[in-house]
Amino acid sequence: MQAEPFPDNWTYLKVELNWLERLLLTAVARQRKETREIDRVAKTAADRATSHWWKGIVSLEGQIAHDSPVERRKSNPSEAKGNYHQQIEARIRSSQQQGIELALPALCDRLSLSPFEKNLILMGLAPEVHRRYAQLYGYLQGKESERSDLPNVDLALRLFCRTDIEWRAARSSLTASSPLIQHQLIKLLSPTTPLLNRSIKLCDRLVDLLLSDSVRTPQPHHSESASFSTLVLPESLLTDLKHLCHQIQFCVQVDEEWGFQNLDTGRLPGIVALMVGAVGTGKLSAASAIAQALNTPLMQIDLAKLTPLEQADLMGTIVRQAPTVLLIKSAEIGLSRTSPMNQFHQFLAARRSSRSLTLLSVRRLPIIGQRLRSQIQQTLQFPMPDRAARLKLWQQAFPPQAPLSDIDWNELAKFSLTGGEIGTIARSAAFFAAADSATLEMKHLRQALGKNKLSASRQPSHPS
C-alpha cells in the first residue's frame, strides 16, 4: 500500500519538527533526572564538576554499581520494521512521485547529504520557526554555550549519534570539505572557540528556501544564435574557435570510424575551454557562433547571479540535461581557490565524459589550482578590438532598414570601445534619432557617445 504523501512543504516540515521536539524533550527529561541524582550526592562544586567520573562508580539508585557494561535489550525485528524514519521516507517518496516539492529532501538528494547533515539543518531551522526550540537548546547546553538560542555542535552530536563511529563520521560533516560548509549553507560561529562549543546557524537564503512552499529550481538560459561570418575577431582566434567546433562536430567520425580512440584510450570526448577577455570583446558571440555551426542551442548560466546552493542545483540539472554547448559566465567564481573546488572539478569532469563543449568565460586569467587546470584543454584570449576591427563593428551595428545619413565611420572607429559598447551606443543613437523624427545622423551618435562616456564614469570598476 502506497504511503500517504505530504500535501505541501510546510506540512512535511511540521512533522519533522515535531519529531525533533520529542527528541529534545526526551533529552531534557533525562538531563533533569541526572541533575537531581547528582545534586543528591554532590556536596561541593568540585563534586559536580567531576560527576562524569564518579557517577559511574557511586550508585545513585541505591543499588550496587558494576563496572561491566549493561546488557542492552535485544531489539525485535518486527519493531524495527516500519519505524518512524522509514514511514517518513515512504511519505517523501510518495510526495515526490506526485510532483509535490519538499525543500529539505530535495536538498539532501542534490548534495548527497547524510542523515546527520539533514538533522543538523533541521536543528538549525527550528529556532527560525518557534522560540521554544531556542529555550530547549539553552537548557540542554547550559551556561557554557555562548549563544544559548542556537544549537551548538556538541548538542547535535549528543542528540544524533549513538556510537563512537557515528560521532566521528558526524564530526567530519563539519569540516571545510563538507558540502554544508562548502556551499555556505551553515555558519559555525565563534571560530576561535573549540568546535564542540561553536553555535550552528543556517544562512538566511537557506531558511527562506526551506520555509517556502514554492521550491525554485534555477533554469539555464538558452541564447539566440550568431554566426562565424559576423564575428570580428583576430584570424588566429577565429581559427581556434572553428577548430573547437570541429572537434565536437567530427568527434564520432575521427574517434570511432577512423579508430583514433583505440590509440588514446584515456582521452575523454568532452572539451573545456577558458575564454579570457573584457566585457564586450565577443565571448558570447563566439559561443553563439559555435552553437549555430553545430546546429544546437547555446545554454548559458552566470555564476555571479546564483547563490552557492543554486549553483550546485543548476550544475546537477546541466549534468542531467547534457547540453552540447554550455557557456558559464563569471566562471572565476568556480575556478577560485576559495570556491567549493571539489564540486566544480566534479562538474567539469562530468561534462568532459560526454561529447560536449564547455566554455568558461572570465574577464582576466585567474589563478587556477592544478586539479582544475587539468580539466581545461585550451585557453582563448579575446583582445580589445583594434581600429580596423572597430570600423567593421560599427558598420555591423545597424540593421539594413535603419535610416542612416552621412555617417563618418572613420571618426567612430577612433574611439577605443568594445564590440558590446559599440552595439549599445548604436541602439542608443537610434532612440535619439527616433525622438527627433529624423534619420540617424552623426549628431545622434555623438549624443549617444557622450551618454556612454558619462555612464562609464559613474560605474565602479569591476573586479575580475
Side-chain angles (χ1 to χ4, degrees):
M1 181 178 178
Q2 188 176 22
E4 178 187 2
F6 293 103
D8 51 47
N9 187 55
W10 178 242
T11 302
Y12 160 74
L13 275 180
K14 286 197 296 184
V15 171
E16 292 279 32
L17 289 170
N18 286 339
W19 166 80
L20 176 63
E21 185 171 357
R22 290 196 300 272
L23 188 66
L24 290 168
L25 290 174
T26 301
V28 166
R30 187 185 305 115
Q31 186 161 308
R32 281 177 176 168
K33 179 175 181 292
E34 186 175 292
T35 300
R36 286 196 301 268
E37 292 171 344
I38 292 172
D39 288 344
R40 181 164 58 85
V41 175
K43 303 298 182 182
T44 64
D47 289 341
R48 290 183 174 84
T50 58
S51 63
H52 64 283
W53 175 77
W54 59 255
K55 69 184 180 184
I57 300 174
V58 178
S59 174
L60 301 180
E61 298 290 343
Q63 298 177 1
I64 299 174
H66 301 272
D67 58 3
S68 58
V70 177
E71 184 177 352
R72 293 181 177 270
R73 181 176 68 91
K74 293 183 179 180
S75 60
N76 187 339
S78 62
E79 292 177 0
K81 190 175 182 179
N83 63 27
Y84 170 79
H85 291 292
Q86 289 175 335
Q87 293 171 15
I88 289 293
E89 286 301 318
R91 294 189 66 183
I92 289 172
R93 287 194 298 272
S94 181
S95 303
Q96 292 170 337
Q97 289 169 1
Q98 297 193 21
I100 299 169
E101 297 175 323
L102 306 178
L104 183 54
L107 176 67
C108 293
D109 289 343
R110 287 196 295 268
L111 300 184
S112 301
L113 299 182
S114 67
F116 173 79
E117 290 168 326
K118 171 195 169 184
N119 291 334
L120 200 67
I121 292 175
L122 188 67
M123 198 176 188
L125 179 67
E128 304 281 355
V129 176
H130 202 285
R131 280 284 305 159
R132 66 176 178 271
Y133 294 100
Q135 295 166 355
L136 291 171
Y137 295 157
Y139 177 81
L140 290 169
Q141 290 167 174
K143 297 178 181 179
E144 295 82 4
S145 176
E146 293 189 6
R147 288 286 304 271
S148 60
D149 56 332
L150 294 174
N152 63 23
V153 173
D154 177 63
L155 178 59
L157 294 172
R158 284 191 285 128
L159 279 179
F160 303 131
C161 302
R162 294 171 295 180
T163 66
D164 285 347
I165 294 175
E166 289 182 359
W167 190 95
R168 291 197 300 270
R171 192 183 186 283
S172 67
S173 302
L174 300 167
T175 60
S177 61
S178 71
L180 295 179
I181 303 298
Q182 282 191 342
H183 297 296
Q184 302 173 25
L185 301 181
I186 66 170
K187 296 178 182 177
L188 298 180
L189 306 182
S190 306
T192 57
T193 63
L195 178 62
L196 294 182
N197 289 342
R198 296 176 68 179
S199 298
I200 301 164
K201 187 179 188 314
L202 302 189
C203 73
D204 292 340
R205 294 182 71 92
L206 177 57
V207 172
D208 294 340
L209 173 70
L210 295 175
L211 295 179
S212 173
D213 263 333
S214 177
V215 183
R216 186 172 74 89
T217 301
Q219 293 298 321
H221 172 66
H222 295 272
S223 73
E224 298 297 325
S225 61
S227 66
F228 282 117
S229 62
T230 61
L231 296 183
V232 181
L233 296 171
E235 194 62 37
S236 59
L237 179 55
L238 278 173
T239 300
D240 288 341
L241 291 170
K242 291 177 181 178
H243 189 61
L244 278 178
C245 180
H246 295 159
Q247 290 179 71
I248 301 299
Q249 186 176 6
F250 302 113
C251 177
V252 174
Q253 179 180 346
V254 171
D255 286 339
E256 297 182 12
E257 295 179 13
W258 291 1
F260 273 81
Q261 65 182 5
N262 299 326
L263 300 180
D264 188 357
T265 56
R267 180 180 294 276
L268 297 173
I271 301 170
V272 177
L274 188 64
M275 307 172 80
V276 185
V279 174
T281 50
K283 301 188 295 293
L284 173 58
S285 296
S288 299
I290 290 173
Q292 188 197 55
L294 294 174
N295 195 27
T296 187
L298 169 65
M299 182 181 287
Q300 59 171 303
I301 62 172
D302 190 342
L303 296 184
K305 296 180 179 179
L306 302 171
T307 66
L309 176 61
E310 290 172 334
Q311 291 171 16
D313 186 14
L314 190 52
M315 286 180 189
T317 300
I318 290 170
V319 169
R320 290 192 297 273
Q321 293 182 359
T324 302
V325 183
L326 170 68
L327 173 64
I328 302 180
K329 297 181 179 180
S330 308
E332 57 267 28
I333 294 175
L335 297 171
S336 168
R337 292 183 183 273
T338 60
S339 71
M341 187 181 71
N342 286 338
Q343 180 219 357
F344 201 64
H345 175 270
Q346 291 168 3
F347 170 73
L348 294 181
R351 289 286 296 164
R352 289 193 63 201
S353 66
S354 63
R355 188 166 64 93
S356 63
L357 175 60
T358 304
L359 302 169
L360 308 177
S361 174
V362 298
R363 295 177 182 176
R364 298 183 185 91
L365 189 63
I367 299 174
I368 306 173
Q370 181 59 40
R371 192 178 180 202
L372 278 172
R373 192 182 296 117
S374 67
Q375 297 290 349
I376 300 172
Q377 286 73 60
Q378 191 167 356
T379 299
L380 305 168
Q381 295 281 353
F382 285 72
M384 291 288 291
D386 59 18
R387 185 167 180 171
R390 292 195 296 269
L391 181 63
K392 291 181 182 179
L393 288 168
W394 274 114
Q395 292 171 341
Q396 288 183 5
F398 300 94
Q401 59 269 38
L404 303 181
S405 176
D406 297 327
I407 303 299
D408 188 342
W409 302 110
N410 288 318
E411 179 185 342
L412 293 173
K414 294 177 183 178
F415 295 96
S416 181
L417 299 167
T418 66
E421 290 172 325
I422 289 171
T424 299
I425 292 168
R427 190 168 186 270
S428 181
F431 281 108
F432 283 122
D436 284 347
S437 300
T439 56
L440 201 158
E441 303 172 3
M442 280 300 295
K443 66 176 183 179
H444 301 121
L445 283 162
R446 292 190 184 98
Q447 279 181 283
L449 282 163
K451 179 177 179 293
N452 180 76
K453 187 180 295 184
L454 181 62
S455 298
S457 67
R458 292 175 177 169
Q459 294 295 324
S461 60
H462 294 282
S464 65

